[in-house]
Amino acid sequence: MARIPLVHLAHARSGDKGDTANVGVIAYEPDHYPLLQEQLTPSAVKHHFGTMVRGPVERFELPNLHALNFLLHGALDGGGTVSLMNDAQGKVFSTALLRMEVEVPDAVAEAVRERGRIPPGWDPDHYGESRHD
Amino acid sequence: MAERTHIRIASGQGFWGDDLEAPVRQVEGGAIDYLVMDYLAEVTMSIMQKQRARDPAAGYARDFIPLMERILPACVERGIRVVTNAGGVNPGGCAAALVEVGRRVGLGGRARVGRVEGDDILDRLDALLEEGHDLAHMETGEPLRAVRDRVESANVYLGAAPIVEALQGGADVVVTGRSTDTALTYAPMIHEFGWGPDDHDRLAAGVVAGHINECGAQSTGGNCLIDWWTLPFMEEVGFPIIEADPDGTFVVTKHRGTGGRVTRGTVSEQIVYEMGDPSEYITPDVVADFTSIRLEDEGPDRVRVRGIRGGPRTDFLKVSIAYADGWKATGTLTYAWPDAAAKAQAAAKVLRARLDRLGLEFDAVRTELVGWDSTHGSLVGPPPADLPEVQLRVGVRGRDRAAVERFTREIAPLVLTGPPSVTGFAGGRPRVQQIMAYWPALIRREAVEPHLTVHVSEV
């Protein structure tokens, strides 16, 4: 088994509702969804965020989309216009969750090693040039 | 009216401040039947109330008017109908400005504008409280009386019914106040396909389509994390288009030749955005079950959505209330290598000590290091000694405006009186902002629905 950051297994998006941030985590491969279900428990996610999330963590499952939705209560310093946080609307809590380490079989770790991050040698000067339709 | 079998509903704006060229691309880039534009966020209504207090003709999304001046002739020419909540707290003022636009572009009465009013309950608030609607905070349960004297805006989230009525009345442009973002997209489906209030699954499908449309390019590559570095031609990103069928299935796509991408991945990211309990996505018209959504790739930049289930609507509507809740300000300074983070932390300590010595009291003081911990917080640990630079960001909030004002005068002095290698203060003093806190509440339908009005007039 190997420990790897979630960023190689899933993509994510986050948003806000008042003082609660939501993070939707979507497995790149449907085959890896059970791994997420098993390891991204509400208590494990709460532990991952530590002092960043003052309230409880709730989890909801969207198996058709091989996705999990987390509600992080008390994460936004009051939220919206009240919050003093740079990320007052929780827009990048998604990537904060993708730092979390999960345990996977060695073969999975090897297969997803380059998933989720820009490839070596990628050049921002050429971003978006492969126009298609 | 003959019911159509297939309609294309294009998203033109995801928020007030979105890409001004996007609606033009939607109109010019290919065939569409409806253009829907969402302008309202929770905080927007209180800002608009303040604008209307200063000028009775204001209080709507002003950007909408010059935009319509550009696209209204083409929309009328091609039979594209526009549905928008740009009316804000003054749909009447917005509609009047549209009539002026019609005259300037020489439409000569060839178009009709519909306006929906009655979502704004600010003037009725005391009467409603008197009648026993306590408008308790949805999370804390506290009755609204606790903050009544500080309320700046109160608007009910309306569903599709008044928009459908305006479309049936022949409106080419429908302007609403606080309609839900999703209703802008599914009201045309109800109108065209003749869905009834008990068509729960189809209405729920309309809600999902609305959710995919409501944030503009967020479903077509914008802000999408999945393979973001491979996205083509984002300078002209295609906004989403829903190709809807009467059975409640639909395809998410975008115009050919535009940038971005539509895949199960990009659509999934938007589906989970701002999601609560996915099995109960509550709207004024139906409760949609987002766990029932099935996505299938159907060729390049085409994703078919099917399988959606819904349940009956509730007896309540949601109210968005904003109330004044103190003041805040945020100041920043930039510190350079060597020991950039240490300098910033030392400066923050000096600043806090000065605020204490001045006897200033705040409800909260927050220090972040932009470039180190302002987004991932405690997950990143202590900053390394060799950071090339870091921005110190200090914010305060409290009830005492004078204290917050004084804080804004304590940032610049640090440049000459604190740790070295500091720059980035050219923007001047931080701005003091009034905090408009959000108070979500529920109200029974019958307290609102009889007060809704729909007017359709010639442009």
Side-chain angles (χ1 to χ4, degrees), chain B residues 117 246 296 420 426 434:
Chain B
E117 289 165 303
E296 294 159 16
Q434 188 170 27

Side-chain angles (χ1 to χ4, degrees), chain A residues 11 13 16 22 48 60 64 69 77 81-84 86 91 95-96 99 115 117 119 128 130 132-133, chain B residues 218 224 227 229 231-233 257 269-270 272-276 291 293 328 368 374 376 379 393 397 436:
Chain A
H11 56 119
R13 179 171 294 176
D16 68 316
N22 99 289
H48 170 71
F60 301 95
N64 290 357
N69 185 41
D77 185 35
T81 60
V82 176
S83 177
L84 298 175
N86 190 16
K91 298 283 187 189
T95 55
R99 285 179 174 274
R115 198 77 175 96
R117 300 290 301 269
S130 59
H132 74 141
D133 51 5
Chain B
Q218 264 206 150
C224 285
D227 301 333
W229 55 91
L231 290 172
F233 194 40
E269 282 193 33
Q270 175 55 23
V272 297
Y273 178 65
E274 289 186 344
M275 175 61 51
T291 68
I293 299 171
K328 70 172 183 177
E368 295 178 337
S374 86
H376 289 184
L379 300 181
R393 185 176 189 279
R397 77 167 171 259
M436 282 299 154

Side-chain angles (χ1 to χ4, degrees), chain B residues 13 17-24 63 67 70:
Chain B
Q13 293 277 278
D18 204 354
D19 183 352
L20 293 169
E21 300 305 309
V24 182
D63 290 346
L67 169 68
R70 285 176 74 187

Side-chain angles (χ1 to χ4, degrees), chain B residues 60-378:
Chain B
Y60 57 87
R62 284 183 309 258
D63 290 346
F64 176 66
I65 300 304
L67 169 68
M68 289 308 288
E69 191 150 352
R70 285 176 74 187
I71 65 174
L72 186 56
C75 288
V76 172
E77 183 80 20
R78 296 168 205 176
I80 299 167
R81 302 170 90 174
V82 177
V83 182
T84 179
N85 56 18
V89 301
N90 191 359
C94 186
L98 265 185
V99 171
E100 287 300 308
V101 166
R103 189 154 58 210
R104 283 201 295 275
V105 301
L107 279 181
R110 283 187 291 127
R112 289 180 178 180
V113 58
R115 65 177 199 270
V116 174
E117 289 165 303
D119 63 296
D120 189 341
I121 58 168
L122 186 60
D123 292 341
R124 296 173 51 212
L125 216 45
D126 290 317
L128 287 166
L129 291 170
E130 200 69 28
E131 288 164 25
H133 302 277
D134 64 358
L135 297 171
H137 192 290
M138 280 173 72
E139 276 146 42
T140 67
E142 200 178 358
L144 183 69
R145 289 189 192 281
V147 299
R148 168 66 190 98
D149 56 335
R150 292 185 274 142
V151 170
E152 299 277 343
S153 68
N155 296 80
V156 181
Y157 284 93
L158 302 182
I163 300 172
V164 172
E165 189 181 331
L167 291 171
Q168 283 166 351
D172 300 281
V173 182
V174 182
V175 174
T176 76
R178 185 60 280 193
S179 288
T180 60
D181 307 347
T182 53
L184 304 178
T185 289
Y186 67 79
M189 299 180 191
I190 296 172
H191 169 64
E192 297 279 359
F193 302 146
W195 294 344
D198 295 327
D199 286 333
H200 300 142
D201 292 348
R202 286 183 275 197
L203 290 171
V207 169
V208 173
H211 187 79
I212 291 168
N213 249 355
E214 75 180 357
C215 294
Q218 264 206 150
S219 56
T220 54
N223 194 30
C224 285
L225 186 59
I226 184 168
D227 301 333
W228 66 265
W229 55 91
T230 68
L231 290 172
F233 194 40
M234 288 297 285
E235 53 270 44
E236 287 192 19
V237 60
F239 274 44
I241 297 169
I242 302 293
E243 296 180 353
D245 289 326
D247 66 358
T249 64
F250 61 91
V251 168
V252 188
T253 186
K254 63 186 186 69
H255 282 321
R256 288 177 69 84
T258 58
R261 185 176 292 155
V262 183
T263 65
R264 282 179 297 159
T266 65
V267 173
S268 293
E269 282 193 33
Q270 175 55 23
I271 287 172
V272 297
Y273 178 65
E274 289 186 344
M275 175 61 51
D277 176 349
S279 68
E280 288 194 337
Y281 186 103
I282 300 171
T283 77
D285 296 301
V286 70
V287 178
D289 178 359
F290 276 46
T291 68
S292 60
I293 299 171
R294 292 183 180 276
L295 303 180
E296 294 159 16
D297 285 318
E298 201 190 76
D301 292 321
R302 292 180 67 81
V303 171
R304 179 162 287 280
V305 186
R306 62 166 85 242
I308 298 158
R309 293 188 304 266
R313 66 187 206 179
T314 75
D315 294 333
F316 295 90
L317 296 172
K318 190 173 171 182
V319 192
S320 166
I321 298 168
Y323 66 101
D325 197 26
W327 307 86
K328 70 172 183 177
T330 304
T332 58
L333 290 170
T334 302
Y335 290 85
W337 183 93
D339 305 317
K343 291 165 182 165
Q345 288 165 328
K349 184 163 186 292
V350 171
L351 175 61
R352 281 176 182 253
R354 287 180 183 163
L355 298 175
D356 283 344
R357 280 162 191 258
L358 288 165
L360 303 178
E361 288 184 8
F362 301 104
D363 294 338
V365 180
R366 186 180 181 90
T367 302
E368 295 178 337
L369 299 183
V370 179
W372 185 247
D373 69 0
S374 86
T375 57
H376 289 184
S378 55

